[in-house]
Amino acid sequence: MPATPRPPRTTRLPSLTGMRFIAALLVFAFHTTWQTRFIPGGAGDTLSTVFANAGFYGVSFFFVLSGFVLTWSARPNDTATRVWRRRLVKIYPNHLVTFVIAAALMLAASDVFTTEGTLTNLFLLQAWVPQIQVPNTMNAVSWSLSCELFFYLSFPWLLRLIDRVPVRRLWALAGVLAACTVAVPWISLHTLHGQPLPFIADGSLSFEQIWFVYFFPPVRALEFVLGMVAARLVLSGSWPRLGLWPAGLIAVGGYTLNSAVPYLYGVAGTAALWLTPLVASAAVADRDRTPTPFRGRLLVRLGELSFAFYMVHGLVVTYGHRWLVEGRNLPTAAAAALLVAALAFCLVLALALFAWVENPLVRLLSTPRAERRAPHTTPLSVPALEAKE
């Protein structure tokens, strides 16, 4: 049984659910203004500058949030296999559906398939391969699921280790994790080599260097573990009364800082340093029933759709831009309308994916059939919070 007291099974964190959609929207903004540009001219330049770091920030938020939520909602006497079952049921159905859609779109666009890229993507192993064609093929955004899968497989043991850390030493552990996160770009820059990519930053960085700080699952696990430590601090009553608004200012200030530092530091997990206080403070606000701007019904509902939205948006953006924007001299107003239409289409697809695939299969398969049939005084279905995570 975990050493740290756990919240009641009815405790929910709706503000964190609402924040999920904002993080997914940051990734969408990055992919539509920087990676591909829907809006031309000066307006497009401004948006590209503003959101150049948004995708990296959003992904880091999800990694911290995963560690926090899984630790917060950990079940007494749970087993590793049950944890893995719930998490795999959560991510794999959406992944497989979007994998098939990606394959169909690639065929329609006459894109090249590779055996290594296809198989590693199918089994969510692509983030382990330091080759630019592998993590960025098929449904490219699924590289983050490759990291999440590693986090989930490691979680039962990580939780045991972190629960053994005395509360008085948790802040020291958080400091060590933060220091390691900051050190990773320096290590990559001075120990890894490879062919420089002329289209990234100043043209001096190789994909291997970028891969190590951005894709490599053990390195990104620093953010996940930092989220776990933050959850323990909140659960033990050791988190300071920072307040949600000051934490939000830290997150915004951190985004500004991360947008100004050298490229490797901006894309690495250093965003977790500024986002962890926001995640923890939102959880405290929900626990204490303090009003927050992220708890509205619409935003929470969008947060429920955020994983499905994340999984479909990359395909809509990539192929929508290629077929409707690229090579066309669209007026700014028409391009903006197309961007809004792309966002709306992503939301429609996300709703369909959530309603017809994700939610039904989570409810059906997250608990073994024998346990669903057996009488229990406490429900064994997935908690509302974990189902959204």
Side-chain angles (χ1 to χ4, degrees), residues 104-133:
L105 289 170
M106 289 177 68
L107 286 171
S110 300
D111 289 340
V112 176
F113 290 83
T114 66
T115 301
E116 187 175 24
T118 303
L119 291 179
T120 55
N121 272 262
L122 176 61
F123 295 106
L124 294 179
L125 299 172
Q126 66 269 45
W128 294 89
V129 182
Q131 299 175 19
I132 192 170
Q133 301 89 348

PDB file of all heavy atoms in Angstrom, residues 104-133:
ATOM      1  N   ALA A 104      -3.918   5.797 -44.253  1.00  0.00           N
ATOM      2  CA  ALA A 104      -4.779   6.095 -45.400  1.00  0.00           C
ATOM      3  C   ALA A 104      -4.418   7.438 -46.025  1.00  0.00           C
ATOM      4  O   ALA A 104      -4.365   7.575 -47.252  1.00  0.00           O
ATOM      5  CB  ALA A 104      -6.239   6.077 -44.963  1.00  0.00           C
ATOM      6  N   LEU A 105      -4.151   8.433 -45.196  1.00  0.00           N
ATOM      7  CA  LEU A 105      -3.780   9.751 -45.707  1.00  0.00           C
ATOM      8  C   LEU A 105      -2.425   9.706 -46.406  1.00  0.00           C
ATOM      9  O   LEU A 105      -2.217  10.365 -47.439  1.00  0.00           O
ATOM     10  CB  LEU A 105      -3.758  10.764 -44.565  1.00  0.00           C
ATOM     11  CG  LEU A 105      -5.120  11.150 -43.984  1.00  0.00           C
ATOM     12  CD1 LEU A 105      -4.949  11.969 -42.720  1.00  0.00           C
ATOM     13  CD2 LEU A 105      -5.946  11.913 -45.015  1.00  0.00           C
ATOM     14  N   MET A 106      -1.499   8.937 -45.879  1.00  0.00           N
ATOM     15  CA  MET A 106      -0.195   8.805 -46.514  1.00  0.00           C
ATOM     16  C   MET A 106      -0.320   8.147 -47.876  1.00  0.00           C
ATOM     17  O   MET A 106       0.353   8.538 -48.841  1.00  0.00           O
ATOM     18  CB  MET A 106       0.756   8.012 -45.608  1.00  0.00           C
ATOM     19  CG  MET A 106       1.196   8.764 -44.364  1.00  0.00           C
ATOM     20  SD  MET A 106       2.249   7.779 -43.263  1.00  0.00           S
ATOM     21  CE  MET A 106       3.740   7.609 -44.274  1.00  0.00           C
ATOM     22  N   LEU A 107      -1.177   7.138 -47.967  1.00  0.00           N
ATOM     23  CA  LEU A 107      -1.411   6.500 -49.265  1.00  0.00           C
ATOM     24  C   LEU A 107      -2.022   7.489 -50.250  1.00  0.00           C
ATOM     25  O   LEU A 107      -1.618   7.558 -51.422  1.00  0.00           O
ATOM     26  CB  LEU A 107      -2.328   5.293 -49.087  1.00  0.00           C
ATOM     27  CG  LEU A 107      -1.710   4.045 -48.440  1.00  0.00           C
ATOM     28  CD1 LEU A 107      -2.789   3.023 -48.126  1.00  0.00           C
ATOM     29  CD2 LEU A 107      -0.644   3.433 -49.355  1.00  0.00           C
ATOM     30  N   ALA A 108      -2.982   8.267 -49.776  1.00  0.00           N
ATOM     31  CA  ALA A 108      -3.630   9.245 -50.657  1.00  0.00           C
ATOM     32  C   ALA A 108      -2.657  10.314 -51.125  1.00  0.00           C
ATOM     33  O   ALA A 108      -2.764  10.819 -52.254  1.00  0.00           O
ATOM     34  CB  ALA A 108      -4.807   9.888 -49.929  1.00  0.00           C
ATOM     35  N   ALA A 109      -1.694  10.645 -50.264  1.00  0.00           N
ATOM     36  CA  ALA A 109      -0.726  11.686 -50.605  1.00  0.00           C
ATOM     37  C   ALA A 109       0.539  11.128 -51.244  1.00  0.00           C
ATOM     38  O   ALA A 109       1.470  11.891 -51.525  1.00  0.00           O
ATOM     39  CB  ALA A 109      -0.355  12.467 -49.355  1.00  0.00           C
ATOM     40  N   SER A 110       0.584   9.805 -51.460  1.00  0.00           N
ATOM     41  CA  SER A 110       1.767   9.135 -52.028  1.00  0.00           C
ATOM     42  C   SER A 110       3.011   9.361 -51.174  1.00  0.00           C
ATOM     43  O   SER A 110       4.127   9.494 -51.685  1.00  0.00           O
ATOM     44  CB  SER A 110       2.024   9.623 -53.468  1.00  0.00           C
ATOM     45  OG  SER A 110       0.917   9.345 -54.293  1.00  0.00           O
ATOM     46  N   ASP A 111       2.828   9.411 -49.839  1.00  0.00           N
ATOM     47  CA  ASP A 111       3.968   9.514 -48.932  1.00  0.00           C
ATOM     48  C   ASP A 111       4.665   8.168 -48.816  1.00  0.00           C
ATOM     49  O   ASP A 111       4.068   7.112 -49.041  1.00  0.00           O
ATOM     50  CB  ASP A 111       3.501   9.976 -47.545  1.00  0.00           C
ATOM     51  CG  ASP A 111       3.064  11.424 -47.540  1.00  0.00           C
ATOM     52  OD1 ASP A 111       3.462  12.168 -48.456  1.00  0.00           O
ATOM     53  OD2 ASP A 111       2.325  11.814 -46.620  1.00  0.00           O
ATOM     54  N   VAL A 112       5.925   8.206 -48.433  1.00  0.00           N
ATOM     55  CA  VAL A 112       6.746   6.993 -48.356  1.00  0.00           C
ATOM     56  C   VAL A 112       6.598   6.331 -46.998  1.00  0.00           C
ATOM     57  O   VAL A 112       6.697   6.990 -45.951  1.00  0.00           O
ATOM     58  CB  VAL A 112       8.225   7.333 -48.619  1.00  0.00           C
ATOM     59  CG1 VAL A 112       9.099   6.088 -48.449  1.00  0.00           C
ATOM     60  CG2 VAL A 112       8.391   7.922 -50.021  1.00  0.00           C
ATOM     61  N   PHE A 113       6.344   5.034 -46.996  1.00  0.00           N
ATOM     62  CA  PHE A 113       6.334   4.230 -45.775  1.00  0.00           C
ATOM     63  C   PHE A 113       7.709   3.585 -45.608  1.00  0.00           C
ATOM     64  O   PHE A 113       8.334   3.179 -46.594  1.00  0.00           O
ATOM     65  CB  PHE A 113       5.285   3.120 -45.848  1.00  0.00           C
ATOM     66  CG  PHE A 113       3.871   3.591 -45.781  1.00  0.00           C
ATOM     67  CD1 PHE A 113       3.219   4.052 -46.923  1.00  0.00           C
ATOM     68  CD2 PHE A 113       3.169   3.562 -44.585  1.00  0.00           C
ATOM     69  CE1 PHE A 113       1.902   4.471 -46.871  1.00  0.00           C
ATOM     70  CE2 PHE A 113       1.845   3.983 -44.534  1.00  0.00           C
ATOM     71  CZ  PHE A 113       1.212   4.440 -45.670  1.00  0.00           C
ATOM     72  N   THR A 114       8.158   3.483 -44.371  1.00  0.00           N
ATOM     73  CA  THR A 114       9.347   2.688 -44.072  1.00  0.00           C
ATOM     74  C   THR A 114       8.965   1.633 -43.051  1.00  0.00           C
ATOM     75  O   THR A 114       8.099   1.867 -42.195  1.00  0.00           O
ATOM     76  CB  THR A 114      10.489   3.552 -43.510  1.00  0.00           C
ATOM     77  OG1 THR A 114      10.105   4.079 -42.226  1.00  0.00           O
ATOM     78  CG2 THR A 114      10.839   4.688 -44.453  1.00  0.00           C
ATOM     79  N   THR A 115       9.605   0.476 -43.137  1.00  0.00           N
ATOM     80  CA  THR A 115       9.283  -0.602 -42.200  1.00  0.00           C
ATOM     81  C   THR A 115       9.563  -0.188 -40.765  1.00  0.00           C
ATOM     82  O   THR A 115       8.735  -0.383 -39.862  1.00  0.00           O
ATOM     83  CB  THR A 115      10.104  -1.859 -42.547  1.00  0.00           C
ATOM     84  OG1 THR A 115       9.801  -2.261 -43.883  1.00  0.00           O
ATOM     85  CG2 THR A 115       9.785  -2.991 -41.582  1.00  0.00           C
ATOM     86  N   GLU A 116      10.724   0.418 -40.537  1.00  0.00           N
ATOM     87  CA  GLU A 116      11.089   0.812 -39.180  1.00  0.00           C
ATOM     88  C   GLU A 116      10.144   1.882 -38.640  1.00  0.00           C
ATOM     89  O   GLU A 116       9.665   1.800 -37.498  1.00  0.00           O
ATOM     90  CB  GLU A 116      12.529   1.327 -39.145  1.00  0.00           C
ATOM     91  CG  GLU A 116      13.040   1.611 -37.744  1.00  0.00           C
ATOM     92  CD  GLU A 116      14.508   1.996 -37.741  1.00  0.00           C
ATOM     93  OE1 GLU A 116      15.012   2.479 -38.771  1.00  0.00           O
ATOM     94  OE2 GLU A 116      15.164   1.807 -36.694  1.00  0.00           O
ATOM     95  N   GLY A 117       9.858   2.886 -39.469  1.00  0.00           N
ATOM     96  CA  GLY A 117       8.961   3.942 -39.021  1.00  0.00           C
ATOM     97  C   GLY A 117       7.574   3.442 -38.730  1.00  0.00           C
ATOM     98  O   GLY A 117       6.951   3.808 -37.720  1.00  0.00           O
ATOM     99  N   THR A 118       7.049   2.575 -39.604  1.00  0.00           N
ATOM    100  CA  THR A 118       5.693   2.069 -39.430  1.00  0.00           C
ATOM    101  C   THR A 118       5.574   1.185 -38.198  1.00  0.00           C
ATOM    102  O   THR A 118       4.661   1.354 -37.384  1.00  0.00           O
ATOM    103  CB  THR A 118       5.259   1.282 -40.679  1.00  0.00           C
ATOM    104  OG1 THR A 118       5.355   2.128 -41.831  1.00  0.00           O
ATOM    105  CG2 THR A 118       3.833   0.783 -40.534  1.00  0.00           C
ATOM    106  N   LEU A 119       6.497   0.243 -38.036  1.00  0.00           N
ATOM    107  CA  LEU A 119       6.404  -0.697 -36.917  1.00  0.00           C
ATOM    108  C   LEU A 119       6.658  -0.029 -35.574  1.00  0.00           C
ATOM    109  O   LEU A 119       5.961  -0.310 -34.588  1.00  0.00           O
ATOM    110  CB  LEU A 119       7.373  -1.862 -37.131  1.00  0.00           C
ATOM    111  CG  LEU A 119       7.028  -2.814 -38.274  1.00  0.00           C
ATOM    112  CD1 LEU A 119       8.076  -3.911 -38.390  1.00  0.00           C
ATOM    113  CD2 LEU A 119       5.638  -3.424 -38.076  1.00  0.00           C
ATOM    114  N   THR A 120       7.645   0.846 -35.514  1.00  0.00           N
ATOM    115  CA  THR A 120       7.914   1.512 -34.235  1.00  0.00           C
ATOM    116  C   THR A 120       6.767   2.425 -33.839  1.00  0.00           C
ATOM    117  O   THR A 120       6.434   2.550 -32.651  1.00  0.00           O
ATOM    118  CB  THR A 120       9.225   2.312 -34.285  1.00  0.00           C
ATOM    119  OG1 THR A 120       9.182   3.237 -35.383  1.00  0.00           O
ATOM    120  CG2 THR A 120      10.424   1.399 -34.425  1.00  0.00           C
ATOM    121  N   ASN A 121       6.127   3.066 -34.821  1.00  0.00           N
ATOM    122  CA  ASN A 121       4.961   3.874 -34.510  1.00  0.00           C
ATOM    123  C   ASN A 121       3.796   3.015 -34.042  1.00  0.00           C
ATOM    124  O   ASN A 121       3.100   3.370 -33.097  1.00  0.00           O
ATOM    125  CB  ASN A 121       4.552   4.699 -35.730  1.00  0.00           C
ATOM    126  CG  ASN A 121       5.262   6.026 -35.799  1.00  0.00           C
ATOM    127  OD1 ASN A 121       4.720   7.043 -35.401  1.00  0.00           O
ATOM    128  ND2 ASN A 121       6.499   6.017 -36.280  1.00  0.00           N
ATOM    129  N   LEU A 122       3.579   1.899 -34.698  1.00  0.00           N
ATOM    130  CA  LEU A 122       2.471   1.026 -34.329  1.00  0.00           C
ATOM    131  C   LEU A 122       2.588   0.584 -32.879  1.00  0.00           C
ATOM    132  O   LEU A 122       1.607   0.577 -32.131  1.00  0.00           O
ATOM    133  CB  LEU A 122       2.428  -0.186 -35.260  1.00  0.00           C
ATOM    134  CG  LEU A 122       1.368  -1.247 -34.947  1.00  0.00           C
ATOM    135  CD1 LEU A 122      -0.038  -0.655 -35.032  1.00  0.00           C
ATOM    136  CD2 LEU A 122       1.507  -2.433 -35.900  1.00  0.00           C
ATOM    137  N   PHE A 123       3.804   0.225 -32.473  1.00  0.00           N
ATOM    138  CA  PHE A 123       4.014  -0.290 -31.114  1.00  0.00           C
ATOM    139  C   PHE A 123       4.501   0.774 -30.143  1.00  0.00           C
ATOM    140  O   PHE A 123       4.937   0.459 -29.032  1.00  0.00           O
ATOM    141  CB  PHE A 123       4.990  -1.467 -31.160  1.00  0.00           C
ATOM    142  CG  PHE A 123       4.454  -2.657 -31.908  1.00  0.00           C
ATOM    143  CD1 PHE A 123       4.922  -2.972 -33.177  1.00  0.00           C
ATOM    144  CD2 PHE A 123       3.452  -3.446 -31.355  1.00  0.00           C
ATOM    145  CE1 PHE A 123       4.423  -4.066 -33.879  1.00  0.00           C
ATOM    146  CE2 PHE A 123       2.952  -4.534 -32.045  1.00  0.00           C
ATOM    147  CZ  PHE A 123       3.431  -4.850 -33.305  1.00  0.00           C
ATOM    148  N   LEU A 124       4.435   2.037 -30.545  1.00  0.00           N
ATOM    149  CA  LEU A 124       4.813   3.170 -29.701  1.00  0.00           C
ATOM    150  C   LEU A 124       6.234   3.051 -29.171  1.00  0.00           C
ATOM    151  O   LEU A 124       6.507   3.253 -27.991  1.00  0.00           O
ATOM    152  CB  LEU A 124       3.814   3.328 -28.553  1.00  0.00           C
ATOM    153  CG  LEU A 124       2.387   3.724 -28.968  1.00  0.00           C
ATOM    154  CD1 LEU A 124       1.478   3.837 -27.755  1.00  0.00           C
ATOM    155  CD2 LEU A 124       2.386   5.029 -29.751  1.00  0.00           C
ATOM    156  N   LEU A 125       7.144   2.756 -30.079  1.00  0.00           N
ATOM    157  CA  LEU A 125       8.559   2.688 -29.745  1.00  0.00           C
ATOM    158  C   LEU A 125       9.366   3.757 -30.474  1.00  0.00           C
ATOM    159  O   LEU A 125      10.588   3.806 -30.361  1.00  0.00           O
ATOM    160  CB  LEU A 125       9.119   1.298 -30.117  1.00  0.00           C
ATOM    161  CG  LEU A 125       8.483   0.109 -29.390  1.00  0.00           C
ATOM    162  CD1 LEU A 125       8.998  -1.197 -29.990  1.00  0.00           C
ATOM    163  CD2 LEU A 125       8.775   0.163 -27.890  1.00  0.00           C
ATOM    164  N   GLN A 126       8.693   4.635 -31.220  1.00  0.00           N
ATOM    165  CA  GLN A 126       9.393   5.536 -32.121  1.00  0.00           C
ATOM    166  C   GLN A 126      10.271   6.559 -31.422  1.00  0.00           C
ATOM    167  O   GLN A 126      11.278   7.010 -31.976  1.00  0.00           O
ATOM    168  CB  GLN A 126       8.395   6.244 -33.048  1.00  0.00           C
ATOM    169  CG  GLN A 126       7.420   7.202 -32.362  1.00  0.00           C
ATOM    170  CD  GLN A 126       6.140   6.540 -31.939  1.00  0.00           C
ATOM    171  OE1 GLN A 126       6.150   5.461 -31.372  1.00  0.00           O
ATOM    172  NE2 GLN A 126       5.014   7.196 -32.219  1.00  0.00           N
ATOM    173  N   ALA A 127       9.920   6.942 -30.199  1.00  0.00           N
ATOM    174  CA  ALA A 127      10.714   7.959 -29.509  1.00  0.00           C
ATOM    175  C   ALA A 127      12.080   7.440 -29.079  1.00  0.00           C
ATOM    176  O   ALA A 127      12.948   8.230 -28.706  1.00  0.00           O
ATOM    177  CB  ALA A 127       9.950   8.485 -28.288  1.00  0.00           C
ATOM    178  N   TRP A 128      12.283   6.137 -29.138  1.00  0.00           N
ATOM    179  CA  TRP A 128      13.566   5.550 -28.757  1.00  0.00           C
ATOM    180  C   TRP A 128      14.575   5.564 -29.901  1.00  0.00           C
ATOM    181  O   TRP A 128      15.753   5.256 -29.685  1.00  0.00           O
ATOM    182  CB  TRP A 128      13.355   4.102 -28.299  1.00  0.00           C
ATOM    183  CG  TRP A 128      12.557   3.979 -27.045  1.00  0.00           C
ATOM    184  CD1 TRP A 128      11.198   3.886 -26.941  1.00  0.00           C
ATOM    185  CD2 TRP A 128      13.052   3.948 -25.710  1.00  0.00           C
ATOM    186  NE1 TRP A 128      10.823   3.803 -25.631  1.00  0.00           N
ATOM    187  CE2 TRP A 128      11.933   3.827 -24.851  1.00  0.00           C
ATOM    188  CE3 TRP A 128      14.339   3.983 -25.152  1.00  0.00           C
ATOM    189  CZ2 TRP A 128      12.060   3.770 -23.457  1.00  0.00           C
ATOM    190  CZ3 TRP A 128      14.467   3.920 -23.761  1.00  0.00           C
ATOM    191  CH2 TRP A 128      13.345   3.813 -22.938  1.00  0.00           C
ATOM    192  N   VAL A 129      14.142   5.893 -31.098  1.00  0.00           N
ATOM    193  CA  VAL A 129      15.006   5.766 -32.275  1.00  0.00           C
ATOM    194  C   VAL A 129      15.513   7.144 -32.693  1.00  0.00           C
ATOM    195  O   VAL A 129      14.727   8.009 -33.090  1.00  0.00           O
ATOM    196  CB  VAL A 129      14.235   5.114 -33.446  1.00  0.00           C
ATOM    197  CG1 VAL A 129      15.158   4.944 -34.657  1.00  0.00           C
ATOM    198  CG2 VAL A 129      13.654   3.770 -33.019  1.00  0.00           C
ATOM    199  N   PRO A 130      16.822   7.392 -32.639  1.00  0.00           N
ATOM    200  CA  PRO A 130      17.377   8.710 -32.970  1.00  0.00           C
ATOM    201  C   PRO A 130      17.568   8.916 -34.473  1.00  0.00           C
ATOM    202  O   PRO A 130      18.658   9.217 -34.950  1.00  0.00           O
ATOM    203  CB  PRO A 130      18.714   8.721 -32.226  1.00  0.00           C
ATOM    204  CG  PRO A 130      19.131   7.292 -32.217  1.00  0.00           C
ATOM    205  CD  PRO A 130      17.859   6.485 -32.094  1.00  0.00           C
ATOM    206  N   GLN A 131      16.493   8.726 -35.214  1.00  0.00           N
ATOM    207  CA  GLN A 131      16.511   8.977 -36.652  1.00  0.00           C
ATOM    208  C   GLN A 131      15.336   9.872 -36.987  1.00  0.00           C
ATOM    209  O   GLN A 131      14.196   9.572 -36.605  1.00  0.00           O
ATOM    210  CB  GLN A 131      16.403   7.656 -37.432  1.00  0.00           C
ATOM    211  CG  GLN A 131      17.542   6.689 -37.179  1.00  0.00           C
ATOM    212  CD  GLN A 131      17.313   5.360 -37.883  1.00  0.00           C
ATOM    213  OE1 GLN A 131      16.517   5.261 -38.811  1.00  0.00           O
ATOM    214  NE2 GLN A 131      18.002   4.332 -37.423  1.00  0.00           N
ATOM    215  N   ILE A 132      15.578  10.943 -37.702  1.00  0.00           N
ATOM    216  CA  ILE A 132      14.562  11.967 -37.899  1.00  0.00           C
ATOM    217  C   ILE A 132      13.314  11.436 -38.587  1.00  0.00           C
ATOM    218  O   ILE A 132      12.204  11.912 -38.350  1.00  0.00           O
ATOM    219  CB  ILE A 132      15.159  13.162 -38.693  1.00  0.00           C
ATOM    220  CG1 ILE A 132      14.208  14.361 -38.641  1.00  0.00           C
ATOM    221  CG2 ILE A 132      15.472  12.762 -40.130  1.00  0.00           C
ATOM    222  CD1 ILE A 132      14.823  15.628 -39.186  1.00  0.00           C
ATOM    223  N   GLN A 133      13.446  10.390 -39.415  1.00  0.00           N
ATOM    224  CA  GLN A 133      12.290   9.871 -40.151  1.00  0.00           C
ATOM    225  C   GLN A 133      11.370   9.042 -39.262  1.00  0.00           C
ATOM    226  O   GLN A 133      10.213   8.804 -39.620  1.00  0.00           O
ATOM    227  CB  GLN A 133      12.748   9.001 -41.320  1.00  0.00           C
ATOM    228  CG  GLN A 133      13.628   9.702 -42.328  1.00  0.00           C
ATOM    229  CD  GLN A 133      15.107   9.616 -41.962  1.00  0.00           C
ATOM    230  OE1 GLN A 133      15.466   9.224 -40.851  1.00  0.00           O
ATOM    231  NE2 GLN A 133      15.963   9.997 -42.894  1.00  0.00           N
TER     232      GLN A 133
END
